[in-house]
């Protein structure tokens, strides 16, 4: 189930980059078909999909997102 976060997408991704080494802009990724987060900019209403890419053992290796709002 996708979690909706009302926050500035740029700031949200900046915060993710401090914790995860690989944060990639890949709008056509299959991982975004069922995203982990939907970040909604409260001012403009624009949305950004964000997904975590994990290995079979559950280790998160990257974060993928589509266009920034």
């Amino acid at each position: 189930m996708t979690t909706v976060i009302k926050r500035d997408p740029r700031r949200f991704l900046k915060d993710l980059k401090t914790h995860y080494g690989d944060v990639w802009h890949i709008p056509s990724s299959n991982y975004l078909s069922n995203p982990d987060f939907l970040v909604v900019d409260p001012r403009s209403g624009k949305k950004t999909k964000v997904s975590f890419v994990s290995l079979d053992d559950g280790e998160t290796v990257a974060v993928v997102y589509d266009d920034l709002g």
Side-chain angles (χ1 to χ4, degrees):
M1 177 161 200
T2 303
T3 302
V4 177
I5 299 173
K6 293 186 178 183
R7 189 171 175 189
D8 178 22
R10 285 176 179 40
R11 185 170 179 193
F12 180 78
L13 289 168
K14 182 180 176 185
D15 290 345
L16 280 179
K17 288 179 183 180
T18 62
H19 299 287
Y20 297 97
D22 291 325
V23 180
W24 298 94
H25 173 241
I26 308 175
S28 60
S29 174
N30 289 336
Y31 292 107
L32 296 172
S33 61
N34 188 15
D36 294 312
F37 295 102
L38 185 62
V39 184
V40 179
D41 188 338
R43 292 182 186 167
S44 66
K46 294 181 180 178
K47 300 171 183 162
T48 301
K49 295 178 186 174
V50 179
S51 290
F52 290 100
V53 179
S54 300
L55 299 175
D56 290 337
D57 64 0
E59 181 181 349
T60 300
V61 292
V63 178
V64 176
Y65 67 96
D66 67 352
D67 295 323
L68 288 175

